Amino acid sequence: MNLLEWAQQQNLQHSQGTDDFLTTISDPQLVIGVKTAVLTNFARRQAIRETWGQRAKHLNVQVIFLGCVPIMSDIPNEADRKRLRDAVKMERTVYRDLLTEELECEDSYRNLANKVKAFFDLAATMYLQTPYVMLADDDMYLQVDKLLRLLEDFSGKKPVYLGQSWNHIYTRKSAPVREESHQSNLPKAQYPRSELPPFAFGPHYVVSMDWARFISKNYW
């Protein structure tokens, strides 16, 4: 079921909900930001809400979907754009776990870095006592209980940075992309070295909150 189909099935009373954009857990052990495309990935968000996202609530873990502002420039009909805006508003009202304009970026792959930085800033501001922050893709299944047990081994140790690294998995070093048209272009003026340091890539990584605060203060 896509976003519009879901919205059409909802009771109209949902459209008159609270203005709060997020239902927060008090001092969660972990805050997980799930990167998602607002208009196209509704089914993935629902799958998470009905599976590991539901389990996370009972384990004192906050799950937030990171959407940014949907881009509708390729939708010529204003009536269609309005239906989508209303559907997004309804989803936010019903579930209160989806961020859009709060992240102050457009919802596109090229803006992914801005989305991540905005989430770190929000997490560092809202969750002062939370020790860990996680970034995840919306097409993965997370065993939250096992992750929490793993993080217990790092309790009191700072900083913490966990994830999959190309350098270790494939035993090769990563080089920056220099093609201007490439979505991962890293200009030499911004990063002059020929090799990238080991880093956690792609679908999931965890950092301690002090890292999130550092990013919030220095790259915002």
Short mmCIF file of all heavy atoms in Angstrom, two decimals, residues 14-37:
data_model
loop_
_atom_site.label_atom_id
_atom_site.label_comp_id
_atom_site.label_asym_id
_atom_site.label_seq_id
_atom_site.Cartn_x
_atom_site.Cartn_y
_atom_site.Cartn_z
N HIS A 14 -8.28 12.00 11.91
CA HIS A 14 -6.83 12.04 12.05
C HIS A 14 -6.24 13.34 11.52
O HIS A 14 -5.18 13.77 11.94
CB HIS A 14 -6.19 10.86 11.32
CG HIS A 14 -6.38 9.56 12.04
ND1 HIS A 14 -6.21 9.43 13.39
CD2 HIS A 14 -6.74 8.34 11.57
CE1 HIS A 14 -6.44 8.17 13.74
NE2 HIS A 14 -6.77 7.50 12.65
N SER A 15 -6.90 13.95 10.55
CA SER A 15 -6.36 15.17 9.96
C SER A 15 -6.46 16.36 10.90
O SER A 15 -5.92 17.41 10.64
CB SER A 15 -7.09 15.49 8.65
OG SER A 15 -8.46 15.76 8.91
N GLN A 16 -7.15 16.19 12.04
CA GLN A 16 -7.29 17.27 13.01
C GLN A 16 -6.52 16.95 14.28
O GLN A 16 -6.96 17.23 15.38
CB GLN A 16 -8.79 17.48 13.34
CG GLN A 16 -9.66 17.75 12.13
CD GLN A 16 -9.27 19.02 11.41
OE1 GLN A 16 -8.90 20.01 12.04
NE2 GLN A 16 -9.34 19.01 10.09
N GLY A 17 -5.36 16.36 14.14
CA GLY A 17 -4.60 15.92 15.30
C GLY A 17 -3.74 17.02 15.90
O GLY A 17 -3.84 18.19 15.57
N THR A 18 -2.86 16.60 16.79
CA THR A 18 -1.98 17.52 17.49
C THR A 18 -0.95 18.13 16.56
O THR A 18 -0.63 17.58 15.51
CB THR A 18 -1.25 16.78 18.63
OG1 THR A 18 -0.33 17.67 19.25
CG2 THR A 18 -0.49 15.57 18.10
N ASP A 19 -0.41 19.28 16.95
CA ASP A 19 0.63 19.93 16.17
C ASP A 19 2.02 19.37 16.50
O ASP A 19 2.99 19.72 15.84
CB ASP A 19 0.62 21.44 16.43
CG ASP A 19 -0.61 22.12 15.82
OD1 ASP A 19 -1.14 21.58 14.84
OD2 ASP A 19 -1.02 23.16 16.34
N ASP A 20 2.12 18.54 17.55
CA ASP A 20 3.42 17.97 17.89
C ASP A 20 3.90 17.09 16.75
O ASP A 20 3.17 16.24 16.25
CB ASP A 20 3.31 17.12 19.17
CG ASP A 20 2.98 17.97 20.39
OD1 ASP A 20 3.20 19.19 20.32
OD2 ASP A 20 2.50 17.40 21.38
N PHE A 21 5.16 17.30 16.34
CA PHE A 21 5.67 16.54 15.20
C PHE A 21 6.32 15.24 15.61
O PHE A 21 6.62 14.41 14.77
CB PHE A 21 6.66 17.39 14.40
CG PHE A 21 7.93 17.73 15.15
CD1 PHE A 21 9.02 16.89 15.09
CD2 PHE A 21 8.03 18.90 15.89
CE1 PHE A 21 10.19 17.19 15.77
CE2 PHE A 21 9.20 19.21 16.56
CZ PHE A 21 10.28 18.36 16.51
N LEU A 22 6.53 15.03 16.92
CA LEU A 22 7.27 13.85 17.34
C LEU A 22 6.84 13.42 18.73
O LEU A 22 6.76 14.24 19.65
CB LEU A 22 8.77 14.16 17.33
CG LEU A 22 9.74 13.02 17.58
CD1 LEU A 22 9.64 11.98 16.48
CD2 LEU A 22 11.17 13.55 17.66
N THR A 23 6.53 12.15 18.87
CA THR A 23 6.30 11.57 20.19
C THR A 23 7.64 11.06 20.71
O THR A 23 8.25 10.18 20.10
CB THR A 23 5.30 10.40 20.11
OG1 THR A 23 4.04 10.90 19.66
CG2 THR A 23 5.11 9.77 21.49
N THR A 24 8.10 11.63 21.80
CA THR A 24 9.44 11.30 22.28
C THR A 24 9.39 10.37 23.48
O THR A 24 8.47 10.41 24.29
CB THR A 24 10.22 12.57 22.67
OG1 THR A 24 9.48 13.29 23.67
CG2 THR A 24 10.42 13.47 21.46
N ILE A 25 10.43 9.55 23.59
CA ILE A 25 10.65 8.70 24.75
C ILE A 25 11.59 9.43 25.69
O ILE A 25 12.57 10.04 25.25
CB ILE A 25 11.25 7.34 24.32
CG1 ILE A 25 10.27 6.58 23.43
CG2 ILE A 25 11.64 6.50 25.53
CD1 ILE A 25 10.84 5.30 22.85
N SER A 26 11.32 9.37 26.97
CA SER A 26 12.16 10.07 27.94
C SER A 26 13.49 9.33 28.12
O SER A 26 13.51 8.15 28.48
CB SER A 26 11.43 10.17 29.28
OG SER A 26 12.24 10.80 30.25
N ASP A 27 14.58 10.03 27.83
CA ASP A 27 15.94 9.50 28.03
C ASP A 27 16.12 8.09 27.45
O ASP A 27 16.47 7.14 28.16
CB ASP A 27 16.30 9.49 29.51
CG ASP A 27 16.32 10.88 30.11
OD1 ASP A 27 16.55 11.84 29.37
OD2 ASP A 27 16.10 11.00 31.33
N PRO A 28 15.90 7.91 26.15
CA PRO A 28 16.09 6.58 25.56
C PRO A 28 17.56 6.16 25.60
O PRO A 28 18.46 6.99 25.61
CB PRO A 28 15.61 6.77 24.12
CG PRO A 28 15.82 8.22 23.84
CD PRO A 28 15.53 8.92 25.15
N GLN A 29 17.78 4.86 25.59
CA GLN A 29 19.14 4.33 25.54
C GLN A 29 19.78 4.57 24.18
O GLN A 29 21.00 4.69 24.07
CB GLN A 29 19.12 2.83 25.83
CG GLN A 29 19.00 2.48 27.29
CD GLN A 29 20.24 2.90 28.07
OE1 GLN A 29 20.23 3.91 28.77
NE2 GLN A 29 21.31 2.15 27.93
N LEU A 30 18.95 4.66 23.17
CA LEU A 30 19.43 4.78 21.80
C LEU A 30 18.39 5.52 20.97
O LEU A 30 17.19 5.27 21.12
CB LEU A 30 19.67 3.38 21.21
CG LEU A 30 19.98 3.25 19.72
CD1 LEU A 30 21.34 3.86 19.40
CD2 LEU A 30 19.95 1.77 19.31
N VAL A 31 18.84 6.43 20.12
CA VAL A 31 17.96 7.11 19.17
C VAL A 31 18.37 6.66 17.77
O VAL A 31 19.53 6.79 17.38
CB VAL A 31 18.06 8.64 19.27
CG1 VAL A 31 17.18 9.30 18.22
CG2 VAL A 31 17.66 9.11 20.66
N ILE A 32 17.41 6.12 17.02
CA ILE A 32 17.68 5.62 15.67
C ILE A 32 17.00 6.52 14.65
O ILE A 32 15.79 6.69 14.67
CB ILE A 32 17.17 4.18 15.50
CG1 ILE A 32 17.79 3.26 16.55
CG2 ILE A 32 17.49 3.67 14.09
CD1 ILE A 32 17.24 1.84 16.52
N GLY A 33 17.79 7.11 13.78
CA GLY A 33 17.27 7.88 12.67
C GLY A 33 17.24 7.02 11.42
O GLY A 33 18.29 6.55 10.96
N VAL A 34 16.05 6.78 10.89
CA VAL A 34 15.90 5.92 9.71
C VAL A 34 15.74 6.80 8.48
O VAL A 34 14.76 7.53 8.34
CB VAL A 34 14.68 4.99 9.86
CG1 VAL A 34 14.55 4.09 8.63
CG2 VAL A 34 14.79 4.15 11.12
N LYS A 35 16.71 6.74 7.58
CA LYS A 35 16.66 7.53 6.35
C LYS A 35 15.58 6.98 5.43
O LYS A 35 15.56 5.78 5.14
CB LYS A 35 18.02 7.49 5.66
CG LYS A 35 19.15 8.14 6.47
CD LYS A 35 20.51 7.83 5.87
CE LYS A 35 20.91 6.39 6.11
NZ LYS A 35 22.26 6.07 5.59
N THR A 36 14.70 7.86 4.97
CA THR A 36 13.58 7.40 4.15
C THR A 36 13.19 8.46 3.14
O THR A 36 13.40 9.66 3.36
CB THR A 36 12.37 7.07 5.05
OG1 THR A 36 11.33 6.47 4.27
CG2 THR A 36 11.81 8.31 5.72
N ALA A 37 12.65 8.02 2.01
CA ALA A 37 12.09 8.93 1.02
C ALA A 37 10.60 9.09 1.33
O ALA A 37 9.85 8.11 1.32
CB ALA A 37 12.28 8.38 -0.39
#
